[in-house]
């Protein structure tokens, strides 16, 4: 029921309830089955679980600096850190504030990177009428007791792509 309600709240798509956002981030990376030792670009300001999910999958986290004014992933540093070994970018919508998703999505498309949004701190956030977590390939949410929406604990993986959701299940 929660999965169905979350999908409706997100304006369509597929939701998979998990025990934590860490599990959602881990599963999101597993879905893509990236080759070992490939690189994932991660915000330098985040909870350790964002990088742990990368490591759990045999991948290498590459930390991208944040913009000193917004504390969100710096798109300039993101572009500098991209190499041929990069397979994904995990922007973290830190402190309830959205990253510059328009620029991140453009950079990702240009470099054939998957986008996994870490929305642990932004359940309910929006950009231009679009829910955070619905802009990239996958959005991952946390509902633990300190978040702005809580179930006591738990997480959610969200994607608009039915094939990705079926692979996750």
């Amino acid at each position: 029921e929660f999965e169905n309600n979350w999908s409706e709240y997100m304006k369509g798509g597929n939701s998979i309830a998990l025990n934590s956002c860490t599990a959602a981030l881990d599963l999101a990376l597993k879905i893509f089955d990236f080759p070992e030792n490939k690189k994932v670009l991660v915000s330098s300001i985040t909870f350790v679980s964002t990088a742990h999910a990368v490591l759990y999958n045999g991948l290498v986290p590459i930390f991208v600096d944040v913009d000193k004014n917004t504390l969100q992933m710096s798109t300039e540093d993101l572009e500098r850190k991209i190499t041929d070994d990069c397979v994904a970018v995990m922007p973290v919508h830190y402190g309830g504030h959205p990253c510059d998703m328009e620029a991140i999505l453009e950079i990702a498309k240009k470099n054939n990177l998957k986008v996994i949004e870490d929305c642990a701190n932004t359940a309910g956030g929006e950009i231009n009428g679009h829910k955070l977590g619905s802009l990239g390939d996958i959005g991952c949410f946390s509902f633990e007791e300190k978040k702005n929406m809580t179930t006591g604990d738990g997480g959610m993986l969200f994607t608009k792509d039915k094939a990705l959701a079926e692979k996750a299940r």
Side-chain angles (χ1 to χ4, degrees):
E1 184 179 349
F2 184 38
E3 291 174 341
N4 290 336
N5 288 338
W6 190 255
S7 292
E8 185 179 317
Y9 171 74
M10 294 293 290
K11 302 178 183 175
N14 308 275
S15 299
I16 299 169
L18 298 153
N19 71 324
S20 65
C21 187
T22 304
L25 292 165
D26 178 44
L27 181 57
L29 289 164
K30 281 185 184 355
I31 290 169
F32 293 112
D33 196 28
F34 295 123
E36 252 187 59
N37 296 315
K38 291 295 183 177
K39 297 175 181 174
V40 178
L41 300 142
V42 178
S43 178
S44 62
I45 294 185
T46 184
F47 185 66
V48 67
S49 290
T50 311
H52 278 173
V54 175
L55 294 169
Y56 295 158
N57 283 276
L59 304 168
V60 179
I62 301 298
F63 292 100
V64 177
D65 290 337
V66 297
D67 179 277
K68 67 180 181 177
N69 295 314
T70 66
L71 300 181
Q72 305 307 318
M73 182 179 275
S74 163
T75 54
E76 292 82 17
D77 195 47
L78 174 62
E79 287 192 289
R80 280 192 293 271
K81 300 261 172 90
I82 294 173
T83 66
D84 290 341
D85 288 335
C86 293
V87 292
V89 57
M90 294 176 81
V92 177
H93 301 294
Y94 182 72
H97 299 283
C99 294
D100 183 352
M101 288 304 294
E102 185 177 330
I104 290 170
L105 291 169
E106 183 178 313
I107 293 165
K109 184 176 181 179
K110 181 173 69 175
N111 292 282
N112 197 30
L113 302 174
K114 299 298 181 187
V115 179
I116 301 168
E117 294 176 77
D118 183 333
C119 302
N121 289 291
T122 56
E126 294 187 9
I127 301 174
N128 301 323
H130 299 281
K131 300 282 187 195
L132 296 178
S134 71
L135 300 162
D137 296 287
I138 295 176
C140 299
F141 298 86
S142 174
F143 302 112
E144 60 104 21
E145 74 276 356
K146 295 180 296 299
K147 301 301 191 246
N148 52 346
M149 179 181 163
T150 182
T151 60
D153 207 351
M156 188 73 73
L157 181 145
F158 175 82
T159 180
K160 289 189 174 181
D161 186 318
K162 188 173 182 170
L164 289 179
E166 287 175 7
K167 192 171 181 185
R169 290 195 185 276

